[in-house]
């Protein structure tokens, strides 16, 4: 019986010091998760900054582009971020006579011959979900392009 009480006492003392030192507590686990998330986001921000410095441009079109603007993965629309890509797509107007409103769907990312960072591919869909056009956006530029692919316009912000 004395040995049993001794072991319970050791366990209680260990639990006390673990809690006192912040080990194995929910707040400590949450704090570590937040620190890891902040560290990850800082690394992502640094990587994006490096891409913009090394490959980004201050122009409406990337240097050394190949193909038709916006319609070729080797001549994507240069924008500054994924959120700017969404804003740009929401302002893009297809000016073909008789065309209706469209929605867009990101189909994935791919590599290009003109930049190392991935290019995003978007399908523009009509009201029946048919693909109207496929356009390419590069969301790592230093400035947002004001240029639009042929057949399109941009609504005012």
């Amino acid at each position: 019986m004395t040995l049993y009480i001794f072991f319970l006492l050791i366990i209680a003392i260990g639990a006390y010091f673990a809690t006192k030192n912040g080990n194995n507590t929910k707040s400590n686990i949450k704090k570590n998760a937040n620190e890891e998330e902040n560290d990850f986001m800082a690394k992502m921000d640094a990587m994006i900054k490096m891409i913009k410095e090394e490959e980004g441009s201050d122009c409406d079109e990337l240097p050394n582009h190949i193909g038709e603007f916006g319609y070729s993965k080797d001549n994507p629309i240069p924008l500054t971020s994924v959120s700017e890509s969404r804003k740009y797509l929401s302002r893009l107007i297809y000016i073909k006579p008789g065309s209706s409103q469209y929605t867009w769907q990101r189909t994935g990312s791919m590599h290009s011959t003109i930049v190392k960072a991935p290019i995003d591919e978007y399908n523009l869909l009509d009201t029946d979900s048919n693909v109207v056009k496929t356009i390419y956006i590069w969301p790592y530029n230093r400035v947002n392009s004001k240029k639009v692919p042929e057949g399109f316009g941009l609504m005012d912000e």
Side-chain angles (χ1 to χ4, degrees), residues 114-141:
I114 64 167
V115 288
K116 294 175 192 164
I119 306 290
D120 293 333
E121 180 182 74
Y122 292 87
N123 283 334
L124 304 180
L125 309 169
D126 65 14
T127 54
D128 296 323
S129 296
N130 298 312
V131 176
V132 175
K133 293 280 184 181
T134 299
I135 62 171
Y136 299 89
I137 294 177
W138 190 64
Y140 303 103
N141 206 40

Side-chain angles (χ1 to χ4, degrees), residues 28-69:
N28 193 42
I29 292 169
K30 187 174 181 179
K31 179 181 171 188
N32 287 340
N34 286 339
E35 287 173 359
E36 288 176 15
E37 182 179 343
N38 290 341
D39 187 45
F40 173 77
M41 293 306 293
K43 288 177 182 175
M44 288 295 295
D45 288 343
M47 183 182 75
I48 290 169
K49 182 179 178 183
M50 183 181 74
I51 291 169
K52 288 181 179 189
E53 287 173 2
E54 291 178 5
E55 296 188 299
S57 164
D58 294 324
C59 302
D60 284 335
E61 208 163 355
L62 293 174
N64 305 322
H65 60 272
I66 303 166
E68 194 172 357
F69 180 78

Side-chain angles (χ1 to χ4, degrees), residues 52-114:
K52 288 181 179 189
E53 287 173 2
E54 291 178 5
E55 296 188 299
S57 164
D58 294 324
C59 302
D60 284 335
E61 208 163 355
L62 293 174
N64 305 322
H65 60 272
I66 303 166
E68 194 172 357
F69 180 78
Y71 297 127
S72 168
K73 68 178 182 167
D74 294 318
N75 193 2
I77 302 163
L79 299 169
T80 59
S81 66
V82 172
S83 62
E84 287 298 323
S85 299
R86 292 182 181 135
K87 289 178 191 175
Y88 183 94
L89 288 165
S90 68
R91 294 178 47 224
L92 199 60
I93 305 168
Y94 192 45
I95 55 177
K96 179 181 173 187
S99 65
S100 60
Q101 286 187 313
Y102 67 88
T103 57
W104 51 269
Q105 176 184 41
R106 184 179 180 276
T107 59
S109 61
M110 58 199 53
H111 293 285
S112 168
T113 60
I114 64 167

